[in-house]
Amino acid sequence: MNIVDKEFSDFVNTIKSLSEKEIYYRIRRNFDNIPQEMKQSFMNFFNKFGYWGTLDIAQNNYEEIELKSKALYNHIADFEWMYHHLSDYRSKKLLYSVLNNWYSYDFNTTAKTKEYLFDDYFDLDLVKSNSNEVIVDLGAYTGDTVLSYIHNYGLDSYKKIYCYEITPSTFEKLKDNLKNYKNIECRQKGISDELTMMSITDNEESSSANTLKDDKKGCIPVTTLDQDINEPITLIKADIEGFEQKAIKGCQEHILKDHPKLLISVYHNNEDLWKIAKMIYEIHDDYKFYLRYNSYPTYPTEITLIAI
């Protein structure tokens, strides 16, 4: 057993030896020991985005810690499954660092596993490309991921790119930013596991964090990739603010038939980190899984599952 395996094994054994309440109070104690300025930063961050629960010391509100302790207690076996299905030790060390950050507020290990070499999504050791790529960008925002792809692989590295974006003002910027590039089609639609109409919930921090809510009277059409794209797909990137699981359900036929490279954000809740890989594995068990992240070591977000 190497040091990475030992660290993870020791962590799992610790969690398995504790009740949910004991996990909660240990996390609380570790949180209480960090500097006040950092506590305030955590509260501001969690309350601003709302993905992981709220946190307000003055109101004795520790929902975020309650949800983390529940995730560790109920799903430590799922995190074990994830660890043993990761295909390199860089990914395994990252998974351990994230969970240990949740539990003990260890920022050193997350700092060591942060991505410093490659752009988000495009680890050049893992993600290859050629001129026949048919790419789908879910949550295309203003075109930043597409431009990063072209920067990393070149203008001749794709046959077609489909960009999906829900926010009207952002959609206009997306079209403008990509207007000079060939064979890029922008679609103002949401992607899920059903055909419906939804409305947008605006995020005050950034339109990149806008989400869809189930509202049959909404003005945003929502579809599935299996129904919206007929040709074979070779790469799917998804950063759609918590709708990633539904997007996977809605593209099962493409995954089965086309085996596209999958670059999926897995940080919008405490479940996606293990569950999205399991969903993909249950559709097609030949995929290899990797994790990369590029954000602040204090609380790692921007975590990407690379499935190939």
Side-chain angles (χ1 to χ4, degrees):
M1 179 180 289
N2 61 48
I3 187 62
V4 180
D5 290 335
K6 185 176 187 310
E7 286 175 334
F8 187 78
S9 178
D10 289 346
F11 177 84
V12 168
N13 289 336
T14 296
I15 296 299
K16 286 183 174 180
S17 71
L18 301 172
S19 68
E20 183 180 335
K21 184 176 290 187
E22 287 172 324
I23 295 171
Y24 168 80
Y25 280 114
R26 289 196 181 194
I27 297 175
R28 271 287 307 273
R29 184 172 66 245
N30 291 328
F31 176 73
D32 290 341
N33 288 333
I34 66 175
Q36 182 60 39
E37 183 178 346
M38 190 168 285
K39 289 189 184 77
Q40 188 60 54
S41 177
F42 273 110
M43 288 190 290
N44 292 342
F45 179 72
F46 292 132
N47 297 338
K48 189 179 295 181
F49 289 100
Y51 296 127
W52 310 280
T54 54
L55 187 61
D56 188 336
I57 296 173
Q59 298 297 319
N60 198 33
N61 174 6
Y62 293 92
E63 181 189 32
E64 186 270 336
I65 293 177
E66 291 170 4
L67 293 176
K68 280 196 302 193
S69 59
K70 189 180 293 292
L72 289 172
Y73 179 76
N74 289 330
H75 295 291
I76 193 61
D78 294 310
F79 287 118
E80 270 192 291
W81 179 94
M82 184 68 194
Y83 184 87
H84 293 297
H85 282 80
L86 290 170
S87 295
D88 66 358
Y89 273 99
R90 187 175 170 190
S91 301
K92 293 180 177 185
K93 184 76 171 182
L94 171 53
L95 178 60
Y96 164 72
S97 75
V98 171
L99 299 182
N100 198 41
N101 175 279
W102 291 3
Y103 179 72
S104 64
Y105 294 85
D106 170 15
F107 311 133
N108 292 325
T109 311
T110 47
K112 292 175 182 177
T113 54
K114 175 180 164 71
E115 176 61 69
Y116 292 98
L117 184 59
F118 300 121
D119 289 350
D120 282 347
Y121 307 108
F122 304 124
D123 184 319
L124 301 184
D125 287 327
L126 302 178
V127 183
K128 310 299 182 182
S129 74
N130 60 60
S131 59
N132 292 315
E133 301 288 344
V134 176
I135 298 167
V136 177
D137 185 356
L138 305 180
Y141 192 43
T142 59
D144 53 334
T145 301
V146 170
L147 294 174
S148 174
Y149 177 86
I150 292 171
H151 171 76
N152 278 283
Y153 299 100
L155 288 168
D156 59 349
S157 61
Y158 66 92
K159 181 171 71 174
K160 181 72 178 281
I161 300 178
Y162 295 90
C163 293
Y164 288 79
E165 173 57 44
I166 60 171
T167 304
S169 59
T170 306
F171 185 74
E172 294 304 315
K173 293 177 183 177
L174 169 69
K175 290 192 298 181
D176 187 59
N177 288 341
L178 301 182
K179 65 185 178 183
N180 294 324
Y181 296 92
K182 65 178 183 179
N183 300 332
I184 297 180
E185 182 175 335
C186 299
R187 298 182 174 181
Q188 191 179 349
K189 297 179 179 180
I191 292 294
S192 183
D193 57 353
E194 62 176 340
L195 295 178
T196 187
M197 299 293 290
M198 293 189 181
S199 57
I200 296 175
T201 299
D202 292 323
N203 184 280
E204 294 181 2
E205 179 68 13
S206 170
S207 63
S208 67
N210 286 355
T211 57
L212 288 169
K213 65 178 179 180
D214 196 359
D215 180 356
K216 305 304 181 187
K217 297 180 181 178
C219 61
I220 302 298
V222 176
T223 185
T224 72
L225 279 185
D226 282 342
Q227 293 177 294
D228 212 48
I229 296 179
N230 294 321
E231 66 178 310
I233 297 170
T234 65
L235 187 152
I236 300 171
K237 166 258 173 176
D239 184 356
I240 46 177
E241 311 308 308
F243 266 67
E244 289 83 4
Q245 288 187 33
K246 291 184 177 182
I248 294 295
K249 290 178 183 177
C251 67
Q252 292 187 59
E253 289 302 313
H254 278 298
I255 293 174
L256 273 171
K257 293 178 182 178
D258 308 337
H259 316 305
K261 298 177 284 285
L262 302 170
L263 315 176
I264 312 296
S265 293
V266 290
Y267 64 92
H268 292 112
N269 54 56
N270 296 331
E271 181 180 76
D272 286 351
L273 191 55
W274 61 266
K275 188 165 187 178
I276 288 178
K278 265 200 169 181
M279 291 174 65
I280 296 166
Y281 184 84
E282 287 168 359
I283 297 169
H284 198 291
D285 63 8
D286 282 349
Y287 272 91
K288 293 184 177 180
F289 299 113
Y290 305 84
L291 290 174
R292 300 290 187 264
Y293 102 95
N294 188 355
S295 64
Y296 297 109
T298 48
Y299 191 82
T301 60
E302 307 303 325
I303 304 170
T304 300
L305 172 71
I306 300 175
I308 298 174

